Amino acid sequence: MPKKKPLAKRKVRLSPTQIIALTFLGIILLGALLLTLPAASRDGNSCSFLSALFTATSATCVTGLVMFDTWTQWSGFGQGVIISLIEIGGLGFMSAASLVIFVLRKRVGLKQRMVMAQALSVNDMTGVVRLQKVVLFGSLLVQLVGALILIAYFWPQYGAEKAVKWGVFHSISAFCNAGFDIFGCLDSGSSLIGFQSDPVVLLTLGSLVAIGGLGFFVWEEVIRLHSWKRFSVYTRLVLLMSGILTFGGAIVICLLEWNNPATLGNMPWYDKVLGGVFQSVTVRTAGFDAIGQGAMTDSGKVVSMLLMLVGGSSGSTAGGIKTVTVVVLFLFLWSRIRAKGSVCVFKHTVPRGLVLDAMTIVSIIVSLSVLGGLVICTTTPEISFLDGLYEAISALATVGLTTGITADLSIVAKIMLIIFMYFGRVGVLTLSLGFLAGNQAQERFRYANTNLLIG
């Protein structure tokens, strides 16, 4: 019999999903340590590790929840750390690593291809290097164009220094769906409320958010195929669902908030429409606030929470349950209502395994959201359950919008939100498959079937 290697000499082999999860964790911890340095704070005093960890997690997981205003608290160095974490977290650490590989013209090995495929949420490694190049250079190009538009717009009124800083920072933050802003020098903690009637700022940032939330695979197909008929079923579903959610959500939000004087009520009709469209876009994971989330009607908050839960698309900078996941779930429910055994879309059948994955993701996210809302309102009694649920969903779906309660939360609630943000970004299936399914015991026997009464 071959001798077993001593335990100390055995190599620890990590799967691509484990590498991604652990690398994200390492980046968050490094960012937190940098933010605790006195040089990172505007007043020169070191902040608490919990505050730094919360901010670093929010930036790396491209969420946008903050315990204090980004411009007021953090110095130029601190803001540089935050925007670097946003870029790495939004595009994925593998994009940064692949940039070095491409520049040095190194060969991309099998292990790197596997990690790339997992990070980009694609099913196989065919063409993954080409897709990674599209992601990397396409992302940088889109962010550059967005930054140039904002710089040209801000320059005449605010000067060159602020224009360049604001343009670059907010272009990256918007494209990566992070929602961080440094407009605090105008009005601390106001996010984009000072620009709620500014179509250039809102449409530019909204466009960057939408492009970032479509997904890298969709980009590659749109650029390469140029035809709706030639697009894959997935790409067609993403484009269709994104359009329905954006404009359908805008219509519903406008109807609910049209006469609310604290949000859209006192605006001219064209600003109301602009505000409704921007809210519909940003609430699906961007985190920029242009109307004041705490002042919305209860029904407006509920609709916003539903949009937050859906989020963007797989393999994108967005979070949430994901658009196609929700489509698969509704198609399954529709097929069961009609007593059909298969789920079909665009003359294709959806595999049973994908349907079960969709049901699992939705069940876990919804359950955790309700639990998070209960924890928040229990540990911080002055906060209502609705606002607590809004905050929990915002963290779990990596949105970053808040009704204004983040700084007032208990330590327990803040730690829970840190976990939620990490969990929401790395992904339910990435965590479960990477750490659990890898060591799953093989079934040696099955019990007899039984019939149960359902409904």
Side-chain angles (χ1 to χ4, degrees):
M1 293 179 64
K3 293 182 179 180
K4 291 184 178 181
K5 291 182 180 181
L7 186 61
K9 293 184 179 180
R10 290 181 187 175
K11 291 184 178 181
V12 178
R13 297 185 180 276
L14 298 177
S15 68
T17 49
Q18 291 172 326
I19 292 173
I20 291 170
L22 292 175
T23 303
F24 261 93
L25 184 60
I27 292 170
I28 289 170
L29 292 176
L30 176 60
L33 291 174
L34 290 174
L35 290 176
T36 57
L37 297 175
S41 297
R42 186 168 293 277
D43 59 5
N45 296 318
S46 178
C47 70
S48 68
F49 181 73
L50 179 61
S51 299
L53 181 63
F54 191 98
T55 305
T57 305
S58 183
T60 307
C61 298
V62 290
T63 304
L65 285 176
V66 291
M67 294 171 59
F68 21 63
D69 180 72
T70 303
W71 184 88
T72 305
Q73 170 63 30
W74 305 110
S75 65
F77 171 73
Q79 292 170 22
V81 171
I82 289 171
I83 203 62
S84 299
L85 294 175
I86 289 172
E87 188 75 277
I88 294 172
L91 300 186
F93 75 92
M94 198 58 211
S95 292
S98 64
L99 177 61
V100 177
I101 293 173
F102 295 149
V103 170
L104 297 179
R105 296 184 179 182
K106 297 288 186 180
R107 181 178 177 274
V108 181
L110 179 61
K111 189 73 172 180
Q112 287 87 354
R113 290 172 187 267
M114 291 172 65
V115 177
M116 282 182 185
Q118 190 70 47
L120 295 172
S121 298
V122 294
N123 296 325
D124 56 57
M125 293 180 289
T126 305
V128 71
V129 175
R130 183 187 72 248
L131 178 57
Q132 183 66 76
K133 290 180 179 179
V134 171
V135 170
L136 184 59
F137 297 110
S139 299
L140 296 178
L141 178 61
V142 172
Q143 290 177 75
L144 176 61
V145 172
L148 290 176
I149 293 173
L150 293 174
I151 290 171
Y153 183 71
F154 288 135
W155 194 313
Q157 186 174 357
Y158 298 103
E161 183 180 352
K162 282 185 177 179
V164 172
K165 193 173 183 179
W166 288 1
V168 173
F169 189 99
H170 295 107
S171 180
I172 295 173
S173 183
F175 177 81
C176 292
N177 281 212
F180 278 79
D181 73 271
I182 51 173
F183 291 126
C185 58
L186 301 179
D187 185 10
S188 180
S190 64
S191 191
L192 297 183
I193 291 178
F195 298 95
Q196 61 184 193
S197 298
D198 194 321
V200 175
V201 173
L202 294 190
L203 291 177
T204 300
L205 294 180
S207 298
L208 290 168
V209 168
I211 293 171
L214 284 177
F216 308 131
F217 179 79
V218 174
W219 293 4
E220 196 269 345
E221 276 208 356
V222 170
I223 294 171
R224 180 167 53 89
L225 300 178
H226 306 292
S227 172
W228 177 266
K229 292 182 179 180
R230 296 173 63 191
F231 292 159
S232 65
V233 173
Y234 173 77
T235 296
R236 281 184 275 175
L237 284 176
V238 167
L239 295 175
L240 186 61
M241 190 66 173
S242 297
I244 291 173
L245 288 172
T246 298
F247 296 105
I251 292 171
V252 175
I253 289 169
C254 283
L255 289 175
L256 295 176
E257 299 294 325
W258 194 266
N259 295 317
N260 181 0
T263 54
L264 302 179
N266 294 325
M267 300 180 185
W269 69 266
Y270 43 85
D271 284 342
K272 291 182 180 182
V273 173
L274 178 63
V277 171
F278 187 80
Q279 173 72 5
S280 180
V281 171
T282 189
V283 80
R284 286 179 47 225
T285 76
F288 291 114
D289 188 0
I291 63 174
Q293 306 301 301
M296 294 178 68
T297 61
D298 287 349
S299 55
K301 290 179 182 178
V302 170
V303 170
S304 295
M305 283 191 284
L306 292 175
L307 291 172
M308 282 196 283
L309 280 172
V310 175
S313 300
S314 299
S316 72
T317 59
I321 293 170
K322 303 296 190 299
T323 52
V324 174
T325 305
V326 173
V327 171
V328 170
L329 180 63
F330 276 109
L331 289 174
F332 169 74
L333 295 175
W334 179 241
S335 68
R336 296 305 298 165
I337 290 171
R338 296 185 298 161
K340 290 191 174 183
S342 60
V343 177
C344 300
V345 58
F346 292 138
K347 297 181 180 180
H348 288 75
T349 300
V350 180
R352 177 179 173 81
L354 291 181
V355 175
L356 293 177
D357 287 346
M359 294 175 65
T360 302
I361 293 173
V362 173
S363 299
I364 291 175
I365 295 294
V366 172
S367 299
L368 286 176
S369 298
V370 174
L371 176 63
L374 290 172
V375 169
I376 288 175
C377 67
T378 301
T379 58
T380 317
E382 62 271 19
I383 295 174
S384 68
F385 174 70
L386 186 63
D387 286 348
L389 182 63
Y390 198 97
E391 194 86 0
I393 293 175
S394 181
L396 198 55
T398 68
V399 177
L401 287 171
T402 177
T403 56
I405 65 173
T406 309
D408 300 324
L409 296 177
S410 65
I411 294 177
V412 172
K414 290 174 181 175
I415 293 174
M416 181 197 69
L417 292 183
I418 290 173
I419 297 171
F420 273 20
M421 288 186 287
Y422 176 78
F423 192 64
R425 180 56 182 157
V426 175
V428 177
L429 286 183
T430 298
L431 285 177
S432 61
L433 292 177
F435 290 98
L436 301 178
N439 298 317
Q440 192 176 38
Q442 186 176 1
E443 288 184 284
R444 298 182 182 275
F445 60 88
R446 289 191 178 188
Y447 293 107
N449 291 337
T450 184
N451 289 322
L452 301 174
L453 297 178
I454 301 295

